[in-house]
Amino acid sequence: MLLSRTATTPTLRLGLYLLLILPLVLLGCEDTPVDPLPDPDPDPDPSVSVTADFTVDPADPETGDEVVLDGSASSVTGADELSFVWELSAPAGSEAVIDDPEAESTSFTADVEGTYEITLEVSSGDAIDSTSESVEAIDPAPDVVEISSDITEDRTLNAETLYRVTSTIDVEAVLTIEPGTRIEFEEGTWFRFRDSAVIIADGTEAEPITFTGTQESPGWWNGLWIRETDHPDNIINHAVIEYGGGSSFSSSVEAANLAVGRLSDRAAVTVTNTTIQHSGAWGLFSTRASNLPGFEANTISQNQGMPVRSGANNAHFFDGASTFIGNDEDYVFLRSAEIDEEDVTWQKLDVPYRMDGETRVEEVALTVNPGATIAFEQGAELQFREGSIIQVEGTADDPILFTGTLEQPGWWSGIWVRDSDHPASVIDHAIIEYAGRSDFSSSVEAANLAVGRLSSAASVAITNTTIRHSDSYGLFSTEASSLTGFANNTLTQNAGMPVRSRVTNAHYFDEGSTFTGNGEDYVYLRSTTIDEEDVTWQKLDVPYRMEGQTRVEDVELSIDPGAVLAFEQDASLRFDPGSIVDVRGTAEEPIVFTGTVAEAGWWRGIWISESDHPDNVIDHAVIEHGGRASFSSSVEAGNLVVGRLSRAASVTVTNSLIQDSGDWGFWATSDATVNSDVCSVNEFINNGCTIDD
């Protein structure tokens, strides 16, 4: 095609030019080689392949064995060389490593029991394969040595040997048992440690010593009996004693995993960090003569009897850091005993103490820690005798509990502070319940808590304490007793009255205590003479109940407003020489003297016989139901009688109600000194007022 010059545009001319030079450019590039771009993912050489495979020797290693790993069974095709990489995953606590992780054959040492994971990776060029295998290492089976004859020479048992006891063994020498040792006992066998023996079984937390049966059955073997050795080196530490308690060791030593002592033969052993379990009877049995000089952080559990049976004189050995729960019966059982050798403390345990019989504390201090529970069997009691000190001090959050093994009023006898009068004796923040079974003696009646005996001095402070569910009185105290402190107590739900005491103790009972909710709601006061110190009777939430003739001599008797005194039939209140009458009620809270029965002439009344103190006063009082009979041949009967023949007596009586006497309401001798308006400033109902001419 021909184009005219005039038809050619600049754009067209450029296109023609490119068409002319392009072939020349292409022709010039034909002789210059060009490198291709690399392949980002080349295929492996298909002519090379590898297979990982190895053997382990031994296949079932024991701890301590060298385990050989042989990778020579691995193969390669299409190449001459093969690379090896070994990896090891060891169990916890192991320090095992592969000796040469890139060798065809290598090894490691199985240093602890458990599973070892081994991985082998082989490669040649780009060809790779791996395989894994696990082996289980176990501790080597120890040599088995039978113990079939008595041990009469010093001997050491070690962890490399398994010991099997085939008969009853008497130990009469030093027996040392190393950490980690295992001793298995055939049916009915035991170790009996005699007088000359020493047991040193001192394990560790990581390697405890094990005393067990050849069969894991409670009661399979008899147990360990520390019979009559009290050597100071005797120790059982970090041990397990299990499946014993098959039968009694003797007539006086009952079946247990561990028994200490025999009758009066003294035996001693320290027991710490030890588990006593799966007994067919008791976990631990110790006699009254035994001694556990160290007892701490033990676990006594899963036994078919109670965890412990011991004398009460050994109770202080048992510690709050030990565990006693999880047995068929969860108590630390204490047989009755004399506690008289040293001051002792009973700690709070995770189970109650269980007490039988009559336990006596004498010449020593017994301290009971907050939160402790002491449960008493039927008829049991706890006595504090001469020279003893009672330190029962709980807290509001952790009171100390004295109770029955059965929650039944009168189940046990109670606590008797018999003739202990130490000023430091105290019962604070405690609960005493379900006692009052029977009288403590001919002179001390049944109660949850009794203080005193005939004329024997006894004393204790009782504060913040609940006394309840007695089958008789809550508290009984004798004339010679002293309640050095009595405040904020609760005496309730007792079958009898909350308190039975001599009238000489009436001033101890406080307005802050509670005495209601009992079979009879009175504080019962037996008659006697008040002549040792000035006293005040506080207003209680129940009446005082008075029996017999109470006499006040050479001291002042004050009675607080609101107090009520109820007198039994023929009872009376008499003020003798040197006494002071201070009876001052208020209009809102008069002081009431009445009969236990609302009947005219029920009781005798008040006789100000020979008290002539100018401060004698009766104000805002109610005196009623007295006047049963005359106090003597020289005075007449009345609710209130003043004077006696020619002997001086005086009183001012005001703002009082005197009523329902069996005779006179008020009667005074001509020698008495009384306020002249006595008959007009007081109210008399159903009885009269007179001064004898």
Side-chain angles (χ1 to χ4, degrees):
M1 174 177 165
L2 296 177
L3 299 175
S4 67
R5 292 175 62 93
T6 57
T8 304
T9 65
T11 303
L12 181 60
R13 286 196 299 269
L14 177 62
L16 292 172
Y17 175 76
L18 292 173
L19 289 172
L20 291 173
I21 68 171
L22 181 60
L24 296 176
V25 172
L26 294 175
L27 288 173
C29 294
E30 286 182 357
D31 295 332
T32 303
V34 178
D35 292 335
L37 294 174
D39 189 342
D41 187 17
D43 293 331
D45 185 348
S47 64
V48 178
S49 65
V50 295
T51 302
D53 193 10
F54 67 91
T55 60
V56 179
D57 184 31
D60 298 308
E62 295 179 344
T63 54
D65 284 350
E66 181 183 26
V67 180
V68 176
L69 309 176
D70 184 357
S72 62
S74 301
S75 62
V76 58
T77 301
D80 294 330
E81 294 184 357
L82 192 60
S83 297
F84 297 83
V85 176
W86 297 90
E87 291 185 359
L88 176 66
S89 176
S94 172
E95 297 180 357
V97 294
I98 300 290
D99 288 343
D100 185 349
E102 296 182 355
E104 179 181 68
S105 294
T106 187
S107 65
F108 70 91
T109 300
D111 56 346
V112 299
E113 195 171 45
T115 302
Y116 295 79
E117 295 284 349
I118 306 139
T119 300
L120 171 63
E121 181 183 280
V122 297
S123 63
S124 179
D126 296 328
I128 300 173
D129 189 31
S130 65
T131 186
S132 297
E133 187 173 341
S134 62
V135 295
E136 189 77 21
I138 61 172
D139 288 334
D143 296 333
V144 178
V145 171
E146 290 189 352
I147 300 177
S148 56
S149 58
D150 294 344
I151 299 173
T152 57
E153 296 181 355
D154 294 354
R155 183 173 179 181
T156 298
L157 308 183
N158 58 64
E160 287 70 39
T161 304
L162 172 62
Y163 298 92
R164 186 159 293 141
V165 179
T166 60
S167 62
T168 296
I169 301 299
D170 278 342
V171 180
E172 299 175 352
V174 177
L175 178 62
T176 302
I177 306 171
E178 294 183 345
T181 302
R182 182 180 178 89
I183 307 170
E184 296 180 353
F185 292 78
E186 291 190 351
E187 187 175 13
T189 62
W190 67 38
F191 271 172
R192 177 170 56 192
F193 292 84
R194 307 298 293 264
D195 180 52
S196 56
V198 179
I199 176 173
I200 304 174
D202 196 4
T204 67
E205 184 176 3
E207 293 185 291
I209 296 165
T210 301
F211 302 89
T212 189
T214 54
Q215 180 172 307
E216 293 183 352
S217 176
W220 180 254
W221 61 294
N222 279 16
L224 304 179
W225 184 12
I226 314 299
R227 196 179 95 155
E228 53 206 346
T229 168
D230 63 350
H231 197 282
D233 290 342
N234 285 342
I235 186 172
I236 300 173
N237 178 43
H238 283 298
V240 176
I241 310 172
E242 60 186 7
Y243 300 111
S247 61
S248 297
F249 294 97
S250 72
S251 60
S252 63
V253 181
E254 298 181 28
N257 272 347
L258 173 63
V260 184
R262 181 179 74 121
L263 286 177
S264 58
D265 289 331
R266 191 171 185 84
V269 63
T270 292
V271 183
T272 51
N273 306 299
T274 290
T275 297
I276 301 175
Q277 63 187 9
H278 300 303
S279 169
W282 306 98
L284 166 67
F285 180 98
S286 65
T287 63
R288 296 182 182 93
S290 65
N291 187 17
L292 302 171
F295 189 98
E296 185 177 1
N298 299 300
T299 298
I300 308 181
S301 185
Q302 303 180 74
N303 300 290
Q304 292 186 350
M306 297 183 200
V308 174
R309 181 180 176 94
S310 180
N313 57 320
N314 291 332
H316 59 287
F317 294 127
F318 307 118
D319 68 306
S322 289
T323 297
F324 301 90
I325 59 174
N327 304 276
D328 281 10
E329 290 188 85
D330 280 338
Y331 295 94
V332 166
F333 189 94
L334 304 177
R335 297 192 65 189
S336 59
E338 302 280 344
I339 302 173
D340 56 6
E341 292 189 359
E342 60 179 325
D343 295 346
V344 295
T345 297
W346 293 359
Q347 299 187 41
K348 175 186 177 182
L349 307 180
D350 59 0
V351 300
Y353 298 91
R354 179 171 184 152
M355 302 191 68
D356 78 350
E358 181 182 293
T359 292
R360 300 176 177 182
V361 184
E362 190 165 2
E363 301 292 347
V364 299
L366 170 60
T367 299
V368 184
N369 280 352
T373 296
I374 300 100
F376 292 81
E377 291 194 340
Q378 190 173 31
E381 69 181 74
L382 178 60
Q383 285 188 20
F384 291 88
R385 296 197 163 210
E386 187 174 1
S388 64
I389 305 174
I390 310 148
Q391 295 284 334
V392 175
E393 295 187 82
T395 67
D397 296 329
D398 231 2
I400 296 165
L401 176 62
F402 299 89
T403 188
T405 53
L406 185 65
E407 293 183 352
Q408 176 180 307
W411 182 252
W412 60 294
S413 290
I415 300 173
W416 184 13
V417 184
R418 199 181 93 149
D419 34 25
S420 165
D421 66 346
H422 197 282
S425 288
V426 62
I427 299 174
D428 180 51
H429 283 106
I431 299 170
I432 309 172
E433 61 184 11
Y434 299 112
R437 181 177 182 82
S438 58
D439 294 349
F440 292 98
S441 73
S442 59
S443 63
V444 181
E445 297 184 36
N448 273 349
L449 173 62
V451 184
R453 179 178 71 114
L454 287 175
S455 57
S456 298
S459 65
V460 64
I462 307 168
T463 52
N464 306 300
T465 290
T466 297
I467 301 175
R468 65 191 182 194
H469 299 303
S470 169
D471 198 39
S472 184
Y473 299 107
L475 168 66
F476 180 97
S477 64
T478 63
E479 181 178 357
S481 66
S482 175
L483 304 176
T484 52
F486 191 98
N488 302 316
N489 300 301
T490 299
L491 293 88
T492 189
Q493 301 179 67
N494 300 291
M497 298 181 200
V499 175
R500 180 179 176 94
S501 178
R502 286 287 184 177
V503 71
T504 46
N505 292 330
H507 60 287
Y508 295 124
F509 307 119
D510 69 306
E511 187 172 357
S513 291
T514 297
F515 301 90
T516 59
N518 302 279
E520 291 186 85
D521 280 339
Y522 296 95
V523 166
Y524 189 97
L525 303 176
R526 296 187 64 187
S527 61
T528 189
T529 299
I530 304 171
D531 58 3
E532 291 190 358
E533 60 179 324
D534 295 345
V535 294
T536 298
W537 294 358
Q538 298 184 44
K539 173 191 173 184
L540 307 181
D541 59 358
V542 298
Y544 298 91
R545 180 169 182 149
M546 314 280 294
E547 66 134 35
Q549 184 182 82
T550 295
R551 303 175 70 161
V552 184
E553 187 172 353
D554 289 323
V555 298
E556 179 177 354
L557 171 61
S558 299
I559 303 178
D560 283 349
V564 177
L565 285 69
F567 291 80
E568 291 190 344
Q569 191 173 40
D570 205 35
S572 63
L573 177 59
R574 175 174 169 173
F575 291 88
D576 281 343
S579 63
I580 303 175
V581 185
D582 186 6
V583 177
R584 300 172 192 263
T586 66
E588 294 78 18
E589 288 193 299
I591 297 167
V592 177
F593 301 86
T594 187
T596 53
V597 174
E599 177 183 303
W602 181 255
W603 59 295
R604 290 210 175 194
I606 301 172
W607 183 18
I608 302 175
S609 168
E610 301 176 57
S611 171
D612 65 348
H613 198 280
D615 292 336
N616 285 348
V617 63
I618 298 175
D619 182 51
H620 284 105
V622 175
I623 308 173
E624 61 186 7
H625 305 135
R628 181 175 184 82
S630 61
F631 291 99
S632 75
S633 59
S634 62
V635 298
E636 296 191 27
N639 273 344
L640 175 58
V641 174
V642 183
R644 177 185 178 195
L645 286 176
S646 59
R647 299 176 190 180
S650 66
V651 68
T652 297
V653 185
T654 53
N655 304 306
S656 295
L657 171 61
I658 302 175
Q659 63 184 1
D660 296 323
S661 170
D663 203 324
W664 291 99
F666 176 85
W667 187 94
T669 66
S670 58
D671 295 321
T673 301
V674 300
N675 50 309
S676 59
D677 58 355
V678 65
C679 293
S680 60
V681 296
N682 300 290
E683 183 178 3
F684 295 87
I685 299 176
N686 297 327
N687 46 219
C689 173
T690 187
I691 298 174
D692 187 46
D693 292 334

